[in-house]
Amino acid sequence: MKSKTGVFFHEIFSRHDTGSMHPESTSRIGAVLRRLQAGALWELCYRPVTRQANEDELHLVHDRHHIEHVRSACETGPSQLDPDTVVSADSWDAALYAAGAGIEAVDAVMAGELQNAFCLVRPPGHHAERNRAMGFCLFNNIAVTARYALEKHGVERVLIVDWDVHHGNGTQDAFYTEDDVFFVSLHQWPLYPGTGHPDETGSGAGQGYTKNIVFAPLTGAQDYLDTFQRELEPIIQHFRPQLILISAGFDAHADDPLAQLTLDETHFADMTRFLTEAAGLWCGGRLVSLLEGGYDLTALARSVEAHVQVLVEASG
Ligand SMILES: [Zn+2]
């Protein structure tokens, strides 16, 4: 008997070639897939067919000029969009499918076909801004997904929780002046990209709808988890989300090479449980999670497995 959890995936994600030395490598997807497929979990999840986002959907967040810039860079073959962000011939299709996975997941969750979903995608998205690729990210998958939910499904309040260890600068920028998306980012400080100070809280109508929660390197996992729950609880009660989205990076794991936080897979499971319970309470269980970072392959695979396990339990 299947649960009502979907895992959105496309084989093209393993062909977005960034080079073998790049931390955001093609091996990440394979490591996660092998782990998910080895256990019973895989059979409990739906694996819906995904599609590419179209340009109008990308344009919900990105300028046409940026979309064209990414397309031509990919067509050119291996090239570099910023010091960290590499593309190759298949990156264009991979990027369209990565954004499309979030859109398809929202469609399925809003239709009640699925309770919740995990999008096993790359390239990641949360650093991508309206006008530029950045930090391994070409298009902002979760911002496109949130904007799509607002515009196509009439959702009025979307909560985005970004627990990737890096600040989700692109997502923050996309909704900084709006009160229909509450953006919460939990990240190590100081760390790339250098934004996400607690003073950044939104502006105009969006004042108070951005929350940046920062952790010093080596912060204890229990401290992190306590802060997560203490800060999120009143935000959720006050904001009353109709849909919860997670920028699920797993690079706050103790074994991750790009940061110095101390979580393990049990803590990602705890945070997932907290948010599935909140979704159950406030938004009919509707929750969509998109993969962001996570660069130790074993830690990433185990963390995704723990995350999806809780999604399945919540939707079963
Ligand atoms: Zn990250």
Side-chain angles (χ1 to χ4, degrees):
M1 169 93 175
K2 283 198 189 292
S3 66
K4 287 186 79 179
T5 295
V7 174
F8 289 76
F9 161 75
H10 194 282
E11 53 85 26
I12 191 77
F13 300 143
S14 296
R15 292 197 274 125
H16 162 50
D17 187 4
T18 51
S20 60
M21 301 304 287
H22 197 287
E24 205 291 285
S25 73
T26 54
S27 330
R28 295 178 67 231
I29 296 286
V32 172
L33 275 180
R34 278 192 297 281
R35 182 90 191 181
L36 289 180
Q37 291 170 345
L41 198 51
W42 192 241
E43 293 306 322
L44 293 174
C45 299
Y46 284 92
R47 277 111 53 197
V49 176
T50 54
R51 69 167 172 90
Q52 297 188 335
N54 61 47
E55 287 194 28
D56 288 340
E57 289 161 346
L58 296 179
H59 186 51
L60 292 169
V61 171
H62 296 286
D63 284 353
R64 301 260 181 211
H65 174 76
H66 171 65
I67 299 169
E68 202 42 55
H69 177 60
V70 173
R71 187 215 304 271
S72 65
C74 297
E75 277 173 3
T76 307
S79 55
Q80 206 147 0
L81 292 175
D82 89 340
D84 305 311
T85 311
V86 183
V87 294
S88 56
D90 286 324
S91 301
W92 174 250
D93 281 339
L96 296 188
Y97 271 108
I103 287 171
E104 287 282 276
V106 159
D107 279 345
V109 164
M110 294 308 296
E113 295 162 3
L114 295 174
Q115 179 79 90
N116 56 41
F118 177 66
C119 301
L120 177 56
V121 298
R122 60 183 289 277
H126 72 152
H127 295 306
E129 297 184 343
R130 175 169 297 279
N131 281 315
R132 65 168 170 164
M134 182 178 161
F136 318 160
C137 304
L138 305 182
F139 300 120
N140 195 315
N141 306 321
I142 201 161
V144 170
T145 300
R147 184 71 73 196
Y148 179 85
L150 295 171
E151 301 213 352
K152 302 293 176 179
H153 289 283
V155 175
E156 292 171 343
R157 293 180 304 280
V158 179
L159 172 66
I160 300 178
V161 177
D162 183 333
W163 71 47
D164 187 281
V165 79
H166 303 95
H167 178 235
N169 58 291
T171 316
Q172 172 170 303
D173 282 5
F175 304 109
Y176 203 61
T177 59
E178 295 178 31
D179 59 4
D180 46 7
V181 173
F182 202 123
F183 177 65
V184 181
S185 181
L186 302 106
H187 44 273
Q188 181 177 316
W189 184 278
L191 192 64
Y192 179 91
T195 51
H197 189 275
D199 287 351
E200 298 166 23
T201 56
S203 70
Q207 179 62 50
Y209 290 84
T210 292
K211 178 80 179 176
N212 284 299
I213 303 166
V214 299
F215 299 96
L218 302 179
T219 297
Q222 194 57 48
D223 281 356
Y224 180 111
L225 202 58
D226 290 346
T227 303
F228 175 88
Q229 298 188 353
R230 190 179 62 245
E231 297 283 358
L232 261 298
E233 191 89 56
I235 288 171
I236 290 167
Q237 286 185 19
H238 177 255
F239 184 62
R240 297 174 294 120
Q242 295 174 328
L243 172 68
I244 296 177
L245 304 181
I246 305 176
S247 258
F250 296 97
D251 41 10
H253 194 287
D255 293 341
D256 197 274
L258 297 195
Q260 293 81 39
L261 287 186
T262 60
L263 305 189
D264 65 29
E265 45 274 28
T266 67
H267 305 108
F268 290 115
D270 288 343
M271 293 195 287
T272 310
R273 195 169 295 109
F274 178 89
L275 291 177
T276 56
E277 286 174 5
L281 215 51
W282 295 99
C283 34
R286 291 185 293 270
L287 181 148
V288 173
S289 170
L290 290 90
L291 180 64
E292 300 282 0
Y295 304 102
D296 178 88
L297 295 183
T298 304
L300 172 65
R302 293 169 68 124
S303 299
V304 170
E305 180 186 41
H307 179 56
V308 173
Q309 176 73 45
V310 175
L311 295 182
V312 165
E313 287 166 12
S315 75

